[in-house]
Amino acid sequence: MINKNDEYIVEIIDNGIDGEGIAKIDGYTLFVEGAIKGEKIKVLIVKANKTYGYGKIIELIEKSPYRVEPICPQYKKCGGCSLQHMSYEAQMRYKEEKVKKTINKFLGENNNFIFNSIIGMGIPYNYRNKAQYPCQSGKIGFYSVRSHEVIENNYCYIQDEESDKLAKKAFDILMQSNNVCYNEKDGTGNIRHIMVRIGKNSGELMLVIITKNEVLLGKEELIKKLKEEFPNLKSIIQNINDKNTNIIMGKTCKTLYGEDYIVDILGEYKFKISPLSFYQVNPVQTEILYYTAVEMAKLKGDEISFDLYCGIGTISSFLSSKCKKVYGVEIVPEAIEDAKENAKLNEITNIDFRCGAAEDIIPKMYEEDNIKANVVFVDPPRKGCDQVLLDTIIKMKPEKMIYISCNVATLGRDLKYLIDNSFELQIVQPVDQFPQTAHVETIALLRLK
Ligand SMILES: C[S@@+](CC[C@H](N)C(=O)[O-])C[C@H]1O[C@@H](n2cnc3c(N)ncnc32)[C@H](O)[C@@H]1O
């Protein structure tokens, strides 16, 4: 019987889905944060359930050769980067194994797909173009791990330095103007989050102040001071979120200064990005992701392609010069408006964007309008593709399918369904979009059998 506060010496036999170390004590599974496969450690049991529990490292008896000193002094307090204690090389090996193991778990070992090494990042720091800083009790920073307590912080090693500076400066001005931070316990106060987006290739900055209500004190002062200090600041938006929720942004946006979008460049294309639209967070790796995915489809130029879950039309644009026609489908109206504008901005005339859920739009297009694709790209959110959409794709029988996923568990589930229904998996290609964290992006190429 394993009990809380017991101590054990264990060997870490694996790293789990979030990077946590896994040990076994007579069949009992123990999860240990910050432990690396191959290490021998002394652990204190901090939580004991019947068949599994959680341990805390109290002594590293045999250290992994891949263990490094985390670069960030806030590493232990912040839940943001769970792999900073591993060398970048070890992070990449961990992600490859995670993708391979998860897909094999769903498909069985006898699948003969080609598994390519992960595409890593040259400098795996300061890569993010979007930062969301919670504000609480006169402080701006990050949520302490597994809590909603804000820890003050001035520098994040995966964010852009300019984002950190702009958010801190805006917050200080807002506090000097007597604005009060939102208190999620009793619903009082107003300033909830500050979000900064930076076009890494254009330099353009967007500041979004997320508030509980419409009031914002000292707007003129804020705009004047920020304009002086940040000449690349193109847009200041107030977003109103009056719900008692963990979802950061509300639906209402008011432009306080400049445009209601910023522009960034990916490959040879420009993209307008609105505050509510999805945009991949690591542009260096996104270009690689898109070029690799399009290349994997080996298009001849006469195909009709679908780009489902298309966001602001980025993949559609990369596809547009490689095939005859592209249909892009996206559920967020603001994003599809951006997508249409982006096609104009890039003088692309062969994309048809449609707004709605892919699982509603695609069956109608296929069954009522007889529109079929030779190649289907999907890039769904973490929950994966809707079953109705997969069933329609199976009926439609495109020659190829490219599945881009940020959650290998739902990717594995959907691949299994597609493979059981007339597709075969040919290539799996992980791409490291999220260095220092346990997240990984994966591209899978399927062909009709
Ligand atoms: C992972 S993002 C990918 C966006 C785009 N492909 C890119 O690379 O920027 C997933 C997108 O799917 C959209 N989405 C979520 N559920 C959807 C649905 N049922 N139908 C269509 N789009 C959906 C989200 O709004 C988001 O823009």
Side-chain angles (χ1 to χ4, degrees):
M1 174 98 170
I2 310 270
N3 293 307
K4 190 175 169 182
N5 293 329
D6 286 351
E7 288 181 10
Y8 287 89
I9 291 176
V10 294
E11 269 183 38
I12 301 300
I13 54 168
D14 209 350
N15 284 104
I17 201 102
D18 296 316
E20 71 284 10
I22 300 177
K24 290 273 183 193
I25 309 169
D26 297 332
Y28 186 91
T29 308
L30 195 63
F31 300 105
V32 190
E33 223 169 73
I36 303 175
K37 186 174 170 182
E39 289 187 324
K40 192 179 205 182
I41 57 172
K42 193 181 212 183
V43 281
L44 174 74
I45 308 293
V46 289
K47 190 170 178 195
N49 295 326
K50 218 170 170 192
T51 55
Y52 68 92
Y54 298 89
K56 187 176 152 195
I57 303 177
I58 45 177
E59 190 189 335
L60 278 168
I61 298 168
E62 280 169 28
K63 259 192 205 180
S64 164
Y66 307 113
R67 180 171 284 281
V68 294
E69 193 54 40
I71 192 168
C72 177
Q74 304 280 20
Y75 174 65
K76 285 209 168 127
K77 289 186 198 151
C78 173
C81 298
S82 56
L83 300 188
Q84 257 190 35
H85 60 288
M86 288 185 196
S87 68
Y88 187 51
E89 204 39 53
Q91 292 182 22
M92 289 196 286
R93 298 295 83 81
Y94 157 73
K95 291 184 191 191
E96 280 175 352
E97 251 186 65
K98 167 167 142 168
V99 172
K100 214 186 285 177
K101 260 193 316 203
T102 313
I103 291 179
N104 283 337
K105 191 179 99 193
F106 282 97
L107 305 190
E109 300 277 343
N110 299 332
N111 265 279
N112 286 328
F113 60 89
I114 297 166
F115 187 87
N116 288 338
S117 309
I118 192 166
I119 304 174
M121 197 175 180
I123 303 170
Y125 295 104
N126 302 104
Y127 57 84
R128 285 185 62 97
N129 58 15
K130 179 183 175 187
Q132 300 182 118
Y133 307 86
C135 305
Q136 187 183 78
S137 312
K139 289 186 283 189
I140 180 167
F142 59 85
Y143 285 132
S144 157
V145 64
R146 281 186 297 279
S147 92
H148 266 206
E149 186 207 343
V150 170
I151 310 260
E152 230 162 13
N153 192 35
N154 289 329
Y155 190 90
C156 171
Y157 283 82
I158 59 169
Q159 294 296 356
D160 190 279
E161 292 184 8
E162 201 73 349
S163 296
D164 282 349
K165 277 192 213 146
L166 173 58
K168 179 83 175 79
K169 184 76 194 180
F171 182 74
D172 288 347
I173 301 169
L174 289 170
M175 291 299 104
Q176 282 154 18
S177 304
N178 297 323
N179 289 283
V180 177
C181 293
Y182 175 67
N183 180 339
E184 62 182 29
K185 290 196 185 103
D186 61 14
T188 58
N190 196 25
I191 310 291
R192 300 177 69 126
H193 271 82
I194 288 187
M195 193 261 260
V196 177
R197 227 177 205 163
I198 178 162
K200 287 273 204 180
N201 292 319
S202 66
E204 294 191 6
L205 281 161
M206 170 184 275
L207 172 74
V208 184
I209 302 157
I210 298 128
T211 58
K212 165 86 190 306
N213 55 50
E214 301 239 341
V215 180
L216 193 64
L217 305 173
K219 272 184 246 179
E220 283 71 29
E221 185 70 0
L222 179 84
I223 294 166
K224 186 170 163 282
K225 287 192 173 157
L226 292 181
K227 256 170 58 181
E228 274 166 23
E229 202 167 318
F230 299 91
N232 285 345
L233 182 58
K234 297 285 175 207
S235 169
I236 304 180
I237 309 270
Q238 180 179 3
N239 174 273
I240 296 141
N241 183 0
D242 60 3
K243 304 254 168 4
N244 185 4
T245 164
N246 280 343
I247 296 169
I248 295 177
M249 304 263 277
K251 290 210 158 61
T252 312
C253 287
K254 287 202 307 190
T255 305
L256 305 181
Y257 164 73
E259 308 290 351
D260 52 6
Y261 60 85
I262 54 167
V263 174
D264 196 22
I265 302 157
L266 285 179
E268 57 196 89
Y269 304 102
K270 287 185 182 157
F271 295 103
K272 273 187 173 182
I273 314 152
S274 306
L276 296 177
S277 297
F278 177 91
Y279 185 57
Q280 300 280 356
V281 294
N282 182 338
V284 170
Q285 295 299 91
T286 299
E287 279 185 0
I288 295 172
L289 178 81
Y290 291 168
Y291 281 129
T292 308
V294 172
E295 174 56 32
M296 273 163 77
K298 298 249 173 298
L299 296 161
K300 295 190 292 289
D302 57 354
E303 295 90 348
I304 292 180
S305 298
F306 285 177
D307 172 17
L308 309 183
Y309 308 89
C310 71
I312 61 170
T314 42
I315 296 174
S316 304
S317 305
F318 276 67
L319 274 174
S320 62
S321 63
K322 306 272 183 225
C323 53
K324 192 165 90 187
K325 175 136 191 150
V326 184
Y327 289 90
V329 179
E330 162 64 43
I331 201 166
V332 172
E334 290 82 356
I336 216 78
E337 284 313 308
D338 285 349
K340 287 178 183 167
E341 290 273 310
N342 288 331
K344 280 190 209 147
L345 197 65
N346 294 303
E347 296 175 5
I348 299 171
T349 52
N350 63 343
I351 316 180
D352 182 340
F353 286 112
R354 301 190 177 196
C355 186
E359 58 274 22
D360 296 334
I361 300 260
I362 295 303
K364 274 198 199 119
M365 275 170 61
Y366 174 61
E367 274 146 26
E368 294 171 19
D369 307 331
N370 200 24
I371 299 173
K372 294 180 202 160
N374 308 97
V375 183
V376 174
F377 283 69
V378 293
D379 182 9
R382 290 188 65 75
K383 67 178 181 188
C385 290
D386 188 278
Q387 177 90 27
V388 174
L389 174 67
L390 291 180
D391 285 336
T392 311
I393 295 172
I394 289 162
K395 271 192 259 167
M396 191 192 298
K397 297 192 190 325
E399 292 142 40
K400 289 173 213 162
M401 200 175 158
I402 302 279
Y403 194 133
I404 301 176
S405 163
C406 58
N407 181 355
V408 69
T410 53
L411 172 68
R413 179 201 68 198
D414 290 350
L415 287 179
K416 165 88 178 120
Y417 191 69
L418 290 161
I419 288 165
D420 287 347
N421 288 282
S422 68
F423 282 91
E424 70 181 4
L425 179 60
Q426 294 210 314
I427 303 176
V428 172
Q429 172 68 71
V431 180
D432 194 10
Q433 288 269 88
F434 315 100
Q436 316 306 330
T437 80
H439 297 283
V440 57
E441 198 82 6
T442 308
I443 313 170
L445 167 69
L446 296 124
R447 244 177 205 284
L448 197 64
K449 267 188 225 158

